């Protein structure tokens, strides 16, 4: 088992990527992009802070949907492009949108106090960091029922993203990732430069930073992809993506090294 784990980590560390491929998105569309996402179906999503627009394109650069938001929202991810989750700290609400970026459901979170961060576990339950009560709430929004309310003893101020998986809470701050159990005991703390997003891929936790993508192991971080000059990076199950100087590049993993 130990050899298998090291083999997997070795593949992550030393896998070779095919030559970069420039993707056909108009450079005008890539200006002022705050965040970028890629799903497993060849679609790309751009979020812009200037007008709070969230736009979907296919692999040929054709627009397939756009959502104009009135305030800033945080997009959880697009791993399930049929149900994309957005959270607004400003308006204290979550939105579920479909593959055409149409709103399907809105959840008002104001009854909980002040929610600093939210994470949708599935299409029934969400996890909420309630800053006003210093607690973590598991909420079934289909039944309007609180499942768990757990006291948490850490600073909520600088939380950039949150993920809950297997009775652990993963949090990224300005230059650090921290992992807690449900008793608010810190299980891990590691420095990482400018982390932005957390993502779960099966049983792996991936951290996406400004120009680096890292894998979290039990005690350390392993670099999966590094693009020093990138403005934004992202990944799906087949490739890594780099947005640099108004151009979007794809680095596809070799077929025999996919995990």
């Amino acid at each position: 088992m130990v050899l298998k784990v090291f083999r997997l980590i070795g593949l992550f560390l030393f896998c070779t990527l095919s030559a970069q491929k420039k993707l056909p998105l108009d450079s005008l569309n890539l200006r002022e992009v705050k965040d970028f996402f890629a799903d497993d179906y060849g679609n790309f999503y751009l979020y812009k802070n200037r007008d709070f627009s969230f736009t979907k394109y296919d692999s040929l650069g054709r627009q397939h949907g756009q959502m104009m938001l009135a305030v800033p929202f945080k997009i959880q991810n697009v791993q399930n492009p049929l149900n994309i989750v957005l959270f607004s700290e400003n308006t204290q609400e979550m939105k579920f949108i479909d593959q055409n970026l149409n709103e399907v459901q809105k959840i008002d979170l104001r009854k909980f106090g002040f929610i600093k961060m939210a994470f949708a576990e599935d299409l029934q339950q969400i996890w909420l960091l309630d800053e006003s009560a210093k607690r973590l709430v598991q909420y079934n929004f289909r039944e309007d029922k609180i499942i768990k309310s757990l006291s948490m003893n850490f600073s909520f101020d600088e939380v950039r993203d949150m993920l809950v998986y297997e009775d652990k809470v993963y949090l990224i701050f300005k230059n650090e990732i921290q992992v807690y159990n449900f008793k608010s005991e810190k299980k891990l703390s590691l420095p990482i430069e400018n982390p932005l997003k957390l993502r779960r891929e099966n049983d792996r936790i991936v951290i996406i930073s400004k120009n680096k993508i890292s894998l979290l192991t039990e005690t350390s971080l392993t670099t999966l992809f590094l693009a020093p000059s990138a403005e934004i990076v992202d990944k799906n199950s087949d490739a890594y993506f780099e947005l640099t100087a108004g151009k979007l590049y794809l680095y596809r993993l070799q077929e025999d090294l996919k995990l």
Side-chain angles (χ1 to χ4, degrees):
M1 180 64 183
V2 173
L3 288 175
K4 183 179 180 182
V5 170
F6 277 104
R7 178 177 176 273
L8 291 176
I9 293 174
L11 285 177
F12 276 123
L13 274 170
F14 303 112
C15 67
T16 57
L17 301 171
S18 62
Q20 68 179 8
K21 174 184 177 182
K22 183 180 174 184
L23 297 171
L25 277 181
D26 190 323
S27 61
L28 290 175
N29 294 328
L30 295 173
R31 291 179 181 175
E32 301 177 341
V33 170
K34 173 67 174 178
D35 214 344
F36 167 86
F37 301 85
D39 68 23
D40 288 339
Y41 299 92
N43 301 305
F44 312 115
Y45 305 77
L46 306 180
Y47 176 72
K48 296 185 178 181
N49 251 7
R50 179 177 59 83
D51 56 5
F52 308 132
S53 62
F54 185 50
T55 311
K56 177 181 180 179
Y57 299 89
D58 66 16
S59 59
L60 299 177
R62 297 174 299 201
Q63 184 174 315
H64 281 262
Q66 185 174 69
M67 190 174 199
M68 303 302 295
L69 301 160
V71 296
F73 272 82
K74 181 178 180 60
I75 294 90
Q76 182 168 309
N77 59 56
V78 297
Q79 286 174 294
N80 181 359
L82 301 179
N83 291 283
I84 301 171
V85 183
L86 294 78
F87 164 68
S88 172
E89 183 180 345
N90 297 61
T91 59
Q92 293 289 285
E93 65 179 352
M94 295 185 78
K95 293 180 184 288
F96 287 78
I97 60 178
D98 65 16
Q99 69 271 25
N100 299 313
L101 308 192
N102 297 312
E103 184 178 314
V104 176
Q105 184 173 3
K106 181 168 69 174
I107 304 171
D108 188 343
L109 304 175
R110 288 175 293 181
K111 66 180 179 181
F112 292 100
F114 184 80
I115 302 303
K116 179 66 177 178
M117 192 60 64
F119 169 72
E121 182 176 358
D122 50 37
L123 298 180
Q124 294 187 29
Q125 299 181 107
I126 56 179
W127 292 89
L128 307 170
L129 271 186
D130 182 0
E131 186 174 38
S132 58
K134 298 295 181 184
R135 62 176 181 161
L136 176 69
V137 178
Q138 185 183 23
Y139 174 57
N140 187 317
F141 58 89
R142 299 291 184 196
E143 300 178 3
D144 190 20
K145 179 181 178 182
I146 292 178
I147 307 300
K148 288 187 177 76
S149 179
L150 307 164
S151 296
M152 287 287 154
N153 183 28
F154 52 77
S155 173
F156 286 38
D157 294 341
E158 300 297 327
V159 174
R160 289 190 172 188
D161 201 8
M162 172 181 72
L163 187 152
V164 181
Y165 177 59
E166 289 191 339
D167 299 338
K168 289 188 175 65
V169 186
Y170 298 82
L171 301 164
I172 55 174
F173 298 86
K174 183 177 180 181
N175 287 299
E176 186 178 22
I177 177 167
Q178 297 180 7
V179 182
Y180 291 82
N181 62 19
F182 283 173
K183 297 179 181 179
S184 194
E185 297 169 334
K186 186 187 293 186
K187 309 305 290 183
L188 184 66
S189 177
L190 295 170
I192 180 170
E193 188 175 352
N194 199 27
L196 301 173
K197 296 181 283 188
L198 286 161
R199 186 172 299 170
R200 181 171 72 86
E201 298 180 349
N202 298 319
D203 60 347
R204 301 193 301 269
I205 305 298
V206 173
I207 305 164
I208 299 175
S209 305
K210 179 182 178 182
N211 55 19
K212 182 169 69 173
I213 299 175
S214 307
L215 172 71
L216 178 66
T217 66
E218 290 186 1
T219 58
S220 63
L221 292 166
T222 298
T223 298
L224 302 180
F225 177 72
L226 176 63
S229 61
E231 298 155 17
I232 300 174
V233 296
D234 197 63
K235 75 180 295 295
N236 60 17
S237 62
D238 293 323
Y240 300 109
F241 300 87
E242 170 192 353
L243 196 161
T244 302
K247 297 180 178 62
L248 180 63
Y249 299 97
L250 173 152
Y251 300 81
R252 191 175 298 280
L253 283 167
Q254 291 183 359
E255 292 296 323
D256 58 340
L257 293 178
K258 288 182 189 177
L259 299 177

